[in-house]
Amino acid sequence: KSEEFDTVFLIGADYMPQPAFPNIIASYKRRLYVSTSRARQRLFLVVNGNGPIVNPILSSIPSHLYREVVWAPQRSENDVFA
């Protein structure tokens, strides 16, 4: 077994290429399992917060097994937007 870590961050956990053919889903499941099994204490699945999770694997996780944390950057009146 590979090295384990106290905390693991999986960035872009909700990303799944489209169209999601069966071989792509199987490959994604293997990578997700390997990534998540390296966490000893904490696992953070970082997803795009701009919409619902459309990943069938992540959206099937029962809500009592995770805690959702939402982060939004603070904006000041000095911020300039193009």
Side-chain angles (χ1 to χ4, degrees):
K1 187 173 181 181
S2 297
E3 188 172 358
E4 291 181 338
F5 303 93
D6 289 338
T7 304
V8 171
F9 291 86
L10 185 55
I11 310 298
D14 59 335
Y15 174 75
M16 181 172 288
Q18 296 298 325
F21 295 112
N23 60 335
I24 292 173
I25 293 174
S27 174
Y28 176 85
K29 282 182 178 181
R30 283 191 300 274
R31 287 191 312 251
L32 185 64
Y33 172 77
V34 168
S35 301
T36 58
S37 66
R38 300 304 176 241
R40 278 192 290 245
Q41 296 177 357
R42 290 172 302 275
L43 171 65
F44 293 89
L45 300 175
V46 181
V47 299
N48 182 353
N50 292 331
I53 295 177
V54 294
N55 182 312
I57 298 167
L58 292 183
S59 61
S60 69
I61 299 172
S63 61
H64 70 278
L65 295 178
Y66 65 90
R67 179 176 55 149
E68 184 174 331
V69 177
V70 178
W71 176 83
Q74 297 295 321
R75 301 208 186 260
S76 73
E77 57 190 54
N78 296 329
D79 289 344
V80 177
F81 299 99

